[in-house]
Amino acid sequence: MEKVVNLAKRRGFAFQSSEIYGGLASCWDYGPVGVELKRNVKNAWWHDMVLTRHDIVGIDCAILMHPRVWEASGHVAGFTDPLVDCKKCKERFRADKLTDVQCPQRPSKHPGECGGELTESRQFNLMFKTFMGPVEDTANVVFMRPETAQGIFVNFLNVLNSSRQKVPFGIAQIGKSFRNEITPGNFVFRTREFEQMEMEFFVRPGEDDRWYEYWKAERLTWYGKYGVRPENLRLREHAKDELAHYAKACVDVEYQFPFGWSELEGIANRTDFDLKQHAEFSGKDLSYFNEETRERFVPYVIEPAAGADRATLAFLVDAYDEDEAEGEPRIVLRFHPRIAPVKAAVFPLLRKDGQPEKALHIRDLLAKQFPVQYDQAGSIGRRYRRQDEIGTPFGVTVDHQTMQDDTVTLRHRDTMQQERIPIDRLVSELKLRIEGDQ
Ligand code: ATP
């Protein structure tokens, strides 16, 4: 993990927020390479969950919502974690995750095992509160949303009436969420500001078990499709006593992070709880009428809820590898081409004979299609190494022969093999190899 975090900082994947002021705990900024990586993760999700499906539509809701939303959803009363204080070091910990963290003073021990006495656990609400408008009193309290899902539920009717969708159908959203986590950590795994990729799939009651199984399989397959190794993925079904009170079933897609198996995504059968709650609190009828069967019902909801930052971290960790190139150790990120932040790098072999001009021309040609870098500094081996470290799948080199026959060498990151390609076929070849059949 330390190696990944160091590489992330050195190569511009992620930086500590406000670093020059000493940093803000658990907040991270994505750098020039990281922003592309995370965007690719989100685009891959949107591509597969919205664009290529005809039964799911997208939405983008405001982060601030009516305070009643969070009463109806149960977050005001119940979105809490149990918290304990250590009387010795005065630090706070999540009572249900004590074995996941270290004592700040004795890192080989867990809190409570270090001789420090822990207080009784208390419930702590994770929602960030702020005030709307110029008056800071209780009447103006609003919350920063702790999940994107509620924006979807409260827009159920709007989407239904404006999109001509029929149950079963889904509404998907990618956006920021905020949770005042007691013990954030493990880089971008658990932060207080993060991005979620959530989809609520509305189904007829009675068909929910089938759709739950369907989404379990779909979502597990999704990570593998973009290159996560199958041995690092598993499904973990929640035991009955672990389930939220409204959930009929829930399963986590887990990834084997360097710090252990941990949740990447949760898939839950939320029953008709959310729509019924919002119907009751808002006074609006949120039932669905099936014209064909003349049947009226409140749909059940199957929710695959993923974290964009956690997924980005999983893709990064999974891609990390060390091997040897030309007798020297190299760090290589073996990203799937769709996930790789930079798709190709263009190099002139020599800084003369018109090669840089030709290479810049090729860079501009490729840049119209996807992120590409140009590099003319240092030996060609070192330039390849720099690209391997950020996982660029293709290297394009302009050499002496290019100036004669308009072909370039295409070097493959993983095999390090090279082939010769005419420049006029370069764009289409690369697009095919990056995008595949989508
Ligand atoms: P955890 O048990 O790890 O706190 P959760 O079960 O509360 O997570 P959900 O409410 O199911 O999480 O949210 C769906 C997804 O959002 C999670 O699977 C995770 O990928 C992401 N997520 C939740 N909390 C955080 C966080 N604090 N930082 C980063 N991602 C998060």
Side-chain angles (χ1 to χ4, degrees):
M1 193 64 187
E2 211 178 299
K3 283 182 177 174
V4 172
V5 176
N6 288 342
L7 178 74
K9 172 159 190 208
R10 186 161 58 78
R11 296 310 316 271
F13 283 93
F15 313 117
Q16 173 90 66
S17 161
S18 326
E19 197 184 74
I20 60 169
Y21 288 97
L24 181 65
S26 108
C27 294
W28 297 91
D29 300 337
Y30 288 87
V33 183
V35 66
E36 299 298 340
L37 174 64
K38 187 173 161 188
R39 186 168 293 159
N40 291 343
V41 171
K42 291 189 287 181
N43 284 348
W45 188 89
W46 196 259
H47 177 270
D48 292 354
M49 297 293 276
V50 181
L51 299 182
T52 54
R53 295 192 64 114
H54 306 296
D55 56 354
I56 302 182
V57 291
I59 196 167
D60 184 14
C61 304
I63 286 169
L64 301 177
M65 301 178 72
H66 195 289
R68 292 274 285 163
V69 168
W70 307 111
E71 286 171 34
S73 68
H75 283 82
V76 170
F79 192 56
T80 55
D81 275 341
L83 171 153
V84 288
D85 292 289
C86 173
K87 290 185 181 167
K88 193 163 129 202
C89 70
K90 312 284 183 230
E91 288 284 332
R92 297 196 150 161
F93 306 99
R94 225 171 111 169
D96 58 336
K97 300 265 183 197
L98 288 177
T99 51
D100 294 358
V101 291
Q102 301 165 327
C103 163
Q105 290 180 355
R106 294 180 63 190
S108 63
K109 305 265 182 198
H110 299 303
E113 294 170 356
C114 61
E117 195 194 331
L118 300 179
T119 59
E120 287 284 302
S121 88
R122 303 179 272 135
Q123 292 299 323
F124 170 75
N125 195 297
L126 299 179
M127 281 199 294
F128 276 96
K129 248 186 220 172
T130 187
F131 301 97
M132 192 137 152
V135 188
E136 293 196 6
D137 67 15
T138 46
N140 297 316
V141 166
V142 287
F143 298 100
M144 315 273 276
R145 69 178 175 202
E147 60 175 36
T148 60
Q150 299 304 324
I152 297 177
F153 296 129
V154 302
N155 276 296
F156 172 70
L157 276 188
N158 284 335
V159 173
L160 195 62
N161 294 336
S162 60
S163 68
R164 305 182 64 240
Q165 286 290 337
K166 290 189 167 63
V167 169
F169 79 101
I171 307 177
Q173 168 158 232
I174 298 179
K176 288 256 174 156
S177 293
F178 302 81
R179 295 181 188 179
N180 203 358
E181 298 276 2
I182 299 164
T183 33
N186 284 326
F187 195 27
V188 296
F189 178 82
R190 187 182 301 286
T191 53
R192 294 190 171 115
E193 172 180 348
F194 54 96
E195 225 167 335
Q196 290 188 304
M197 309 186 288
E198 297 196 292
M199 195 276 291
E200 308 302 323
F201 201 75
F202 300 94
V203 305
R204 188 174 164 276
E207 290 176 8
D208 49 314
D209 291 342
R210 186 168 67 79
W211 279 108
Y212 175 67
E213 293 304 320
Y214 170 87
W215 281 112
K216 259 164 68 171
E218 276 293 297
R219 294 306 307 150
L220 183 66
T221 312
W222 186 81
Y223 293 93
K225 176 177 169 190
Y226 292 101
V228 176
R229 282 171 276 188
E231 64 270 27
N232 289 332
L233 288 169
R234 72 176 187 195
L235 288 174
R236 188 185 69 81
E237 201 85 39
H238 285 211
K240 282 272 172 273
D241 60 358
E242 242 185 299
L243 289 178
H245 64 95
Y246 51 81
K248 185 169 156 189
C250 185
V251 68
D252 288 343
V253 180
E254 292 192 332
Y255 178 76
Q256 189 169 22
F257 285 100
F259 45 86
W261 286 97
S262 306
E263 173 179 340
L264 264 187
E265 164 162 0
I267 300 147
N269 180 343
R270 299 179 68 117
T271 68
D272 53 8
F273 174 79
D274 304 277
L275 289 180
K276 277 196 166 152
Q277 284 292 106
H278 287 301
E280 188 187 324
F281 277 68
S282 68
K284 300 279 183 306
D285 179 6
L286 299 182
S287 63
Y288 173 80
F289 184 65
N290 184 328
E291 305 272 354
E292 278 158 37
T293 59
R294 315 299 295 166
E295 194 187 11
R296 181 172 287 283
F297 56 84
V298 177
Y300 268 39
V301 173
I302 310 299
E303 173 195 77
D309 308 87
R310 278 191 197 176
T312 301
L313 181 61
F315 283 112
L316 183 60
V317 165
D318 209 72
Y320 187 94
D321 199 9
E322 293 172 354
D323 66 359
E324 258 192 20
E326 292 145 18
E328 282 186 25
R330 76 163 177 165
I331 293 174
V332 53
L333 297 182
R334 300 189 191 280
F335 287 126
H336 185 284
R338 289 275 298 280
I339 296 296
V342 177
K343 309 300 184 195
V346 187
F347 318 110
L349 188 62
L350 301 175
R351 275 203 274 182
K352 56 180 187 182
D353 301 338
Q355 290 183 18
E357 292 76 11
K358 191 86 176 171
L360 282 168
H361 169 73
I362 294 172
R363 184 221 30 206
D364 293 344
L365 203 69
L366 299 182
K368 288 184 190 149
Q369 308 294 331
F370 39 68
V372 55
Q373 288 192 352
Y374 172 82
D375 188 358
Q376 60 172 30
S379 73
I380 192 75
R382 281 191 53 196
R383 286 182 263 169
Y384 284 148
R385 247 17 40 87
R386 278 201 282 272
Q387 294 300 324
D388 291 340
E389 276 191 343
I390 59 167
T392 306
F394 301 106
V396 176
T397 304
V398 168
D399 56 15
H400 182 65
Q401 193 182 329
T402 313
M403 307 312 288
Q404 291 170 350
D405 65 3
D406 263 345
T407 62
V408 288
T409 54
L410 187 64
R411 183 246 192 199
H412 297 252
R413 174 197 68 203
D414 294 339
T415 58
M416 292 184 266
Q417 278 180 345
Q418 306 195 359
E419 60 183 305
R420 219 92 213 147
I421 301 234
I423 293 172
D424 59 8
R425 269 189 27 225
L426 192 59
V427 168
S428 55
E429 277 293 327
L430 285 180
K431 278 192 82 173
L432 190 68
R433 292 175 200 206
I434 292 161
E435 288 164 13
D437 57 5
Q438 295 242 350

